[in-house]
Amino acid sequence: MRSLTEQDIRNSFINCSKGEAKRLAVPRDLGEHPWDDLDFLGWRDPGAPDRSYLVAERDGRPVGVALRFPAARRGFLHRSMCSVCLTTHPGGGVSLMTARKAGAAGREGNSVGVYMCTDLACSLYVRGKKVPESGSRFEESLTLEEQVARTVGNLSAFLDKLRA
């Protein structure tokens, strides 16, 4: 993923108003992100524990999505799998993230959900740059490039549902 500026990020949101995009908390450490290892930029809102955001490249431009997820935590013995990167996590490591649809459908209250790593670090888990709390990922026969392509494809399918 190419590096993004704060303005790139604010202009990219498809499922919130310009005013909401102007007020949302953007990461202050954009210059320190490992852009070459990211398929999308994801972060949690430090002022609102039930909100997260992600920005991915689609058709050569950034597309941002505002997400919500429940604050309830599951027990440590319960395991869940992220439907984007297929990493399993114990407890609350995976959350149902919901996003308003873009346009009129979103204004009417329609939304789409995806089970996703709560910390939005899917790109880093796939590349082995971050280890899930459980200690490892499932061993796969796919190459790293194939796993990255699958992760990008899963995220793209979710983003396509927001525009439909």
Side-chain angles (χ1 to χ4, degrees), residues 112-163:
V112 177
V114 62
Y115 284 95
M116 195 167 181
C117 295
T118 303
D119 63 2
L120 301 169
C122 299
S123 302
L124 301 179
Y125 289 125
V126 168
R127 289 169 174 80
K129 306 277 182 176
K130 187 170 183 180
V131 178
E133 194 174 316
S134 63
S136 65
R137 294 184 74 231
F138 288 115
E139 202 169 312
E140 295 193 62
S141 59
L142 298 177
T143 65
L144 176 60
E145 292 77 24
E146 291 169 330
Q147 291 178 53
V148 168
R150 179 185 61 205
T151 299
V152 171
N154 290 342
L155 181 63
S156 294
F158 171 66
L159 295 174
D160 288 344
K161 289 176 186 176
L162 292 174
R163 291 182 169 183

Side-chain angles (χ1 to χ4, degrees), residues 13 15 24-25 41-46 48-55 64-69 95 97-99 116-120:
F13 283 87
N15 70 336
L24 63 84
L41 173 65
W43 71 99
R44 293 181 66 176
D45 189 330
D50 65 335
R51 289 191 205 145
S52 292
Y53 308 98
L54 72 81
V55 179
V65 178
L67 302 163
R68 289 189 166 261
F69 64 96
S95 296
M97 304 278 187
T98 58
M116 195 167 181
C117 295
T118 303
D119 63 2
L120 301 169

Side-chain angles (χ1 to χ4, degrees), residues 65-126:
V65 178
L67 302 163
R68 289 189 166 261
F69 64 96
R73 297 287 179 185
R74 295 184 175 146
F76 187 76
L77 296 177
H78 182 84
R79 298 182 65 77
S80 299
M81 181 182 282
C82 173
S83 60
V84 174
C85 68
L86 305 185
T87 299
T88 59
H89 296 273
V94 172
S95 296
L96 175 62
M97 304 278 187
T98 58
R100 281 190 319 222
K101 292 186 91 168
R107 289 189 293 278
E108 292 174 10
N110 295 328
S111 62
V112 177
V114 62
Y115 284 95
M116 195 167 181
C117 295
T118 303
D119 63 2
L120 301 169
C122 299
S123 302
L124 301 179
Y125 289 125
V126 168

